[in-house]
Amino acid sequence: MAQKTDIRTLPGFRLATIGFFIYLYIPLLILVVFSFNATHSATVWDGFSLNWYAKAFDNSDIRRAAWNSLVVATFATIFATSFATMAALALARNHQIKHKPVFNGVLMLPLMVPEIVTAVATLTFFSVIGLSLGLGNIIIAHTVFCIPFAYLPIRARLHGMDKNMEIAAQDLYASKWATLRYVTLPLLTPGIISGAMLAFIISIDDFIITLMVAEAGSTTLPIYIYSLVRIGITPEVNAVSTILLCISIIFVTISYLVEKKR
Amino acid sequence: MAVAVSVRNVKKTYHGSPSIDALKNISFDIHHNEFFTLLGPSGCGKTTLLRLIAGFEDLTAGKLHLFEQNISHLPPEKRPVNTVFQHYALFPHMTIIENVAFGLRRLGKTENEANTAAEKMLELVHLDDFATRMPKQLSGGQQQRVALARALAPQPKVLLLDEPLSALDLKLRQNMRLELKRLQRETGITFVFVTHDQEEALAMSDRIAVMSAGKVQQIAKPDEIYETPANRFVADFIGDANFYDASIVKSENDVTTYQIGNGVHLKGPLRPNMPDNAKVTLFVRPEKISIINFSTLELVSGEIKDIVYLGSSTDYQIELNSSLSIVVRNENQQNGLAIAKPGDKVSLRIDPTSIRILESENS
């Protein structure tokens, strides 16, 4: 009898795993550590200090960029999650829609298309139609590529939902709206929250598309960090990056916990 | 008697490749205040029929009336019927009381009115202490009772039950049978119960509709279904039976002698208007035969081949000749000992009135 081999028992597995995690996380760790460096070096350790955080918070350009990022991510998340929820509901529950795989594919397309292509296309599109809404342009662009990220967990949740829930609601005199409001949406909420969290972090750290689409005065945090790095890496960049990293970790964790809790 | 549900020429076809005729032109009435059971093997169309009455599926043809109101094409939320689902389908994000009050709230009752009525329903199913719990904190049997309370709370004209006991273990299932009967009596609501479990159907129903292959094979009271099944399918599906293809040997004094095999004869009732040499199917329930000491005076004798102990009774497999055997069921005696052992020669006493003649199947 051929026995299934547990991959964990293979020789070198432990070493490979440790190597993998070092490769993945050591750079992040160094970045975080040097954000607390006392001197003006991002490479030589010289004692603990919160100076760079104070400096970063004191920098009005950083504050403005952070605020822009927050506004863009919030609105892009709201729009993308709303569209994704509607799309997921329509594709899962409306049996009159034909060619569902095509719609699914189109929704997923932003995941497949190289970001630089989307970026150039969006920029061209905006300039052709003469759209110039400042942050609005960025919000529209972000909404587009956030939709698939919001869509995936919502669809997964919807597919895992017992169809008898909605049937039972209708059986108990709930109209289509009442069913949606009292049964479908509450049951879908973990998926929606999870999708929104993902959309938010995808939006907040986007660089390429934002760089193309952003007009003067609508600089977001990643773009500002990039401009700082070009001048020279200081622990201030590390501090801002660390804050961004924390935000991402918090959101991914919430997304994971909400999705896990059924 | 008032008719609660009238089913007229109902057909249901699932289109596809291949298309499936789930229901083939079904007509019958379910009476007011009745415990009515749809019984049949899986795929016979019983659940489809229930879902049609509930409004979860569209009729292909025919008409459905509920107390003389045509409901054929009403959406489920407009039909005054409620369903108890096989896997309960309780709303996991609502408390028990919210679950039970859900239907009343949607019917426009205030929260107070709905909660008061819901509490009464929970009392009826003995779960009044569980009002503020969540469904997953309850056991399967408790969830089942919540599902019942939820479906009964809006006081539907007809309650539909889709194999509600199949997910419970045996003891609980037997308790719930009594519970369901009690609820039906106390509420006076017409129950339409779907099951594939013949024992359940016999124990609870006022009338049973036995279904097979999208058709109703027989509608009758439980004892009639068991004692005088309409055809071989019903006889075979409900309980155990010995079947024999037989030809008539002679008839006298209301008793006909049939030949069921080479040299094996049975005495049974006379079927009216039967031509000579007609071929019929006979059947006899195993518990209606008694085993006696071997005697050449008896009509049927054989050798015991196999004994199956069933607890309260024992089945004896008896070979009548090389190609013919019969199963006899004997109540176990106080000492629990078998009355014979394999290899014993025994005779059988079969009352002619316990032999039934079957018509060919309705298909």
Side-chain angles (χ1 to χ4, degrees):
Chain A
M1 283 282 277
Q3 262 185 329
K4 262 195 188 165
T5 317
D6 187 342
I7 191 168
R8 281 171 292 187
T9 63
L10 293 178
F13 173 78
R14 180 186 293 265
L15 204 69
T17 309
I18 293 171
F20 171 77
F21 281 110
I22 287 175
Y23 177 75
L24 211 57
Y25 289 109
I26 283 291
L28 283 178
L29 194 68
I30 291 171
L31 174 114
V32 174
V33 166
F34 277 94
S35 73
F36 296 105
N37 201 358
T39 60
H40 203 282
S41 167
T43 44
V44 184
W45 181 250
D46 201 36
F48 181 83
S49 146
L50 286 173
N51 265 345
W52 297 108
Y53 285 89
K55 219 170 167 187
F57 280 112
D58 212 34
N59 183 333
S60 64
D61 286 343
I62 290 184
R63 284 211 306 269
R64 198 174 311 117
W67 175 249
N68 283 345
S69 273
L70 211 62
V71 170
V72 168
T74 305
F75 281 100
T77 299
I78 292 170
F79 294 144
T81 311
S82 309
F83 290 141
T85 307
M86 289 191 273
L89 281 171
L91 286 176
R93 292 292 185 264
N94 189 336
H95 301 295
Q96 284 159 355
I97 297 179
K98 285 175 187 159
H99 312 301
K100 284 184 183 176
V102 177
F103 285 105
N104 246 319
V106 171
L107 272 169
M108 293 299 169
L109 215 53
L111 293 179
M112 261 74 85
V113 177
E115 204 181 344
I116 187 71
V117 175
T118 313
V120 173
T122 313
L123 176 64
T124 317
F125 177 67
F126 282 165
S127 66
V128 164
I129 64 167
L131 192 75
S132 176
L133 300 172
L135 284 183
N137 281 17
I138 307 179
I139 291 172
I140 293 171
H142 278 212
T143 301
V144 173
F145 69 76
C146 282
I147 286 176
F149 290 95
Y151 176 71
L152 282 172
I154 296 172
R155 187 184 69 159
R157 179 83 188 171
L158 204 52
H159 277 251
M161 196 190 291
D162 183 357
K163 276 207 180 109
N164 277 329
M165 291 298 150
E166 284 155 314
I167 293 177
Q170 284 168 36
D171 185 60
L172 292 160
Y173 315 107
S175 62
K176 286 212 160 60
W177 275 113
T179 304
L180 184 69
R181 186 178 156 198
Y182 295 110
V183 176
T184 315
L185 282 182
L187 290 175
L188 207 52
T189 302
I192 293 174
I193 292 177
S194 176
M197 298 288 159
L198 283 179
F200 190 88
I201 55 164
I202 294 295
S203 164
I204 211 157
D205 80 3
D206 178 73
F207 179 73
I208 300 176
I209 292 176
T210 318
L211 182 70
M212 290 279 183
V213 177
E215 300 170 327
S218 33
T219 305
T220 62
L221 207 47
I223 292 177
Y224 185 78
I225 292 173
Y226 180 67
S227 70
L228 280 184
V229 170
R230 280 170 48 159
I231 300 165
I233 300 177
T234 65
E236 193 180 2
V237 177
N238 291 19
V240 179
S241 303
T242 304
I243 293 170
L244 210 52
L245 178 68
C246 289
I247 293 173
S248 285
I249 290 174
I250 290 169
F251 274 73
V252 173
T253 310
I254 294 174
S255 165
Y256 172 75
L257 289 178
V258 168
E259 186 61 18
K260 211 179 122 194
K261 189 179 158 234
R262 295 245 158 178
Chain B
M1 225 185 292
V3 174
V5 182
S6 141
V7 180
R8 282 293 167 274
N9 305 105
V10 163
K11 285 185 196 168
K12 175 68 188 175
T13 305
Y14 291 104
H15 295 286
S17 47
S19 289
I20 298 159
D21 291 324
L23 294 173
K24 303 166 185 165
N25 202 0
I26 284 185
S27 299
F28 63 86
D29 288 340
I30 299 170
H31 300 144
H32 180 43
N33 232 330
E34 183 172 46
F35 198 122
F36 190 89
T37 297
L38 298 168
L39 174 66
S42 48
C44 72
K46 57 190 193 299
T47 298
T48 302
L49 185 53
L50 196 81
R51 292 172 63 86
L52 284 173
I53 299 173
F56 304 152
E57 312 225 9
D58 296 325
L59 288 168
T60 304
K63 280 200 165 59
L64 280 172
H65 283 81
L66 190 81
F67 290 96
E68 284 165 15
Q69 181 199 3
N70 187 347
I71 58 162
S72 308
H73 300 290
L74 283 182
E77 67 266 26
K78 299 265 168 61
R79 300 187 188 200
V81 299
N82 290 136
T83 309
V84 178
F85 293 86
Q86 186 170 9
H87 299 291
Y88 324 139
L90 298 178
F91 305 128
H93 57 297
M94 298 182 195
T95 61
I96 298 306
I97 191 93
E98 283 169 344
N99 263 284
V100 178
F102 187 87
L104 292 162
R105 292 286 285 143
R106 301 287 87 73
L107 285 172
K109 295 268 189 289
T110 66
E111 200 175 336
N112 265 338
E113 287 173 317
N115 280 351
T116 312
E119 274 161 26
K120 278 214 184 90
M121 287 318 304
L122 283 178
E123 263 171 54
L124 193 65
V125 297
H126 312 304
L127 283 175
D128 27 336
D129 293 339
F130 293 80
T132 55
R133 303 258 187 110
M134 301 304 278
K136 63 170 176 235
Q137 294 174 294
L138 268 58
S139 70
Q142 289 166 336
Q143 290 187 29
Q144 176 64 81
R145 300 218 297 275
V146 174
L148 264 168
R150 184 179 72 173
L152 283 170
Q155 298 187 301
K157 288 185 171 166
V158 172
L159 185 75
L160 307 172
L161 303 105
D162 183 12
E163 309 222 15
L165 308 184
S166 61
L168 304 176
D169 58 48
L170 181 68
K171 273 282 169 230
L172 211 51
R173 207 153 64 217
Q174 287 171 343
N175 288 340
M176 280 304 289
R177 282 182 201 163
L178 298 173
E179 186 86 1
L180 278 175
K181 275 300 269 183
R182 178 183 69 84
L183 282 172
Q184 200 262 331
R185 262 197 320 271
E186 285 179 19
T187 57
I189 292 172
T190 309
F191 278 31
V192 181
F193 185 88
V194 161
T195 185
H196 63 267
D197 184 331
Q198 39 117 353
E199 218 179 288
E200 222 164 80
L202 293 174
M204 290 192 289
S205 320
D206 292 321
R207 284 194 308 154
I208 300 172
V210 183
M211 294 180 67
S212 138
K215 292 208 149 205
V216 173
Q217 300 294 338
Q218 185 175 13
I219 300 180
K221 296 190 171 105
D223 54 339
E224 290 169 4
I225 294 265
Y226 186 79
E227 298 293 342
T228 53
N231 55 43
R232 177 157 182 164
F233 175 82
V234 177
D236 203 14
F237 191 72
I238 315 285
D240 297 315
N242 298 290
F243 292 98
Y244 302 103
D245 292 325
S247 54
I248 297 170
V249 178
K250 61 174 182 192
S251 275
E252 52 189 19
N253 304 334
D254 291 342
V255 175
T256 306
T257 306
Y258 297 89
Q259 174 165 332
I260 59 170
N262 203 5
V264 184
H265 293 89
L266 274 183
K267 279 188 177 152
L270 176 65
R271 192 179 149 194
N273 310 323
M274 203 154 47
D276 285 348
N277 304 326
K279 296 273 186 191
V280 294
T281 299
L282 301 183
F283 95 94
V284 57
R285 299 280 184 201
E287 75 277 8
K288 297 193 189 289
I289 308 167
S290 11
I291 296 176
I292 54 173
N293 289 332
F294 183 75
S295 150
T296 48
L297 296 175
E298 290 297 327
L299 198 56
V300 188
S301 295
E303 183 186 321
I304 294 182
K305 280 284 162 201
D306 214 350
I307 296 180
V308 181
Y309 178 71
L310 298 171
S312 66
S313 60
T314 302
D315 276 2
Y316 298 86
Q317 177 98 27
I318 296 163
E319 196 176 83
L320 302 179
N321 68 24
S322 57
S323 62
L324 210 58
S325 64
I326 193 165
V327 176
V328 178
R329 182 164 300 160
N330 218 286
E331 288 285 311
N332 285 333
Q333 302 305 307
Q334 278 175 346
N335 58 17
L337 296 177
I339 55 170
K341 59 184 189 301
D344 283 0
K345 285 232 167 230
V346 292
S347 289
L348 302 176
R349 193 164 284 164
I350 309 171
D351 192 302
T353 56
S354 61
I355 304 256
R356 299 268 177 263
I357 304 159
L358 289 173
E359 323 220 351
S360 62
E361 209 163 309
N362 178 12
S363 59

